[in-house]
Amino acid sequence: AEVPAAVLDDHTRWRRPLVEAAGRLRLLGWASILLIGGAMAAMITLAANAALAANAQVIAVLRLVGAQDSYIAHAFVRRFTLRALFGAFVGVLFALLGVFMLPSPAEEGAFLTGLGFQGWHWFLPLLIPPFAGLVAFAATRRAAFRTLKGLT
């Protein structure tokens, strides 16, 4: 009644595209995680195949003395899985350090303020090393048994 031409603006008109863009950005993030996991599996598979091919004579000798393919594959799987776990753990530590060093929202005029993790979200990146180990385990095991089968 006091201001007859007043319009209540709840910002939905300009906020809606931003919310949609944020949702698509989240989807893009998940897609990139899947792509990184696939690329990691491909690299580990290639490395395992190269290691198995380079050790073909050693594998032949192990088979002569009675070693089963599962024993030989286990040695390669263990080595590649532990390397992937260690590499992912070191990468996560450096990433967390980088996120921790981002400026806080209290700093005036700082760029990228307020980014980072809040509370228990700091523990979410710790899921990456087990995921990397699982991918390395599956990729190396599959590559090892396929290569060992071809070496007979």
Side-chain angles (χ1 to χ4, degrees):
E2 293 179 20
V3 184
V7 175
L8 175 64
D9 185 9
D10 62 353
H11 307 293
T12 55
R13 187 174 18 180
W14 64 267
R15 188 173 169 257
R16 186 176 304 124
L18 290 176
V19 170
E20 289 175 10
R24 289 186 183 139
L25 190 60
R26 180 177 287 132
L27 183 64
L28 182 64
W30 283 109
S32 65
I33 287 172
L34 290 175
L35 285 173
I36 289 169
M40 183 178 75
M43 286 187 292
I44 289 173
T45 300
L46 290 173
N49 285 335
L52 286 160
N55 291 308
Q57 292 176 341
V58 173
I59 291 170
V61 170
L62 285 171
R63 284 180 169 166
L64 285 174
V65 296
Q68 301 289 325
D69 282 352
S70 60
Y71 175 80
I72 298 167
H74 180 71
F76 284 95
V77 169
R78 182 180 62 243
R79 186 171 101 197
F80 280 94
T81 302
L82 289 176
R83 284 183 179 180
L85 276 169
F86 180 73
F89 184 72
V90 170
V92 164
L93 286 181
F94 279 119
L96 287 174
L97 180 64
V99 170
F100 181 73
M101 291 174 51
L102 286 173
S104 67
E107 296 179 28
E108 294 298 321
F111 183 64
L112 295 176
T113 61
L115 296 176
F117 300 111
Q118 306 292 322
W120 65 271
H121 290 113
W122 279 98
F123 294 105
L124 285 177
L126 296 178
L127 296 174
I128 293 172
F131 175 71
L134 185 65
V135 169
F137 175 82
T140 307
R141 183 171 170 82
R142 185 169 179 240
F145 280 113
R146 189 175 351 118
T147 303
L148 288 170
K149 189 176 184 181
L151 289 176
T152 53

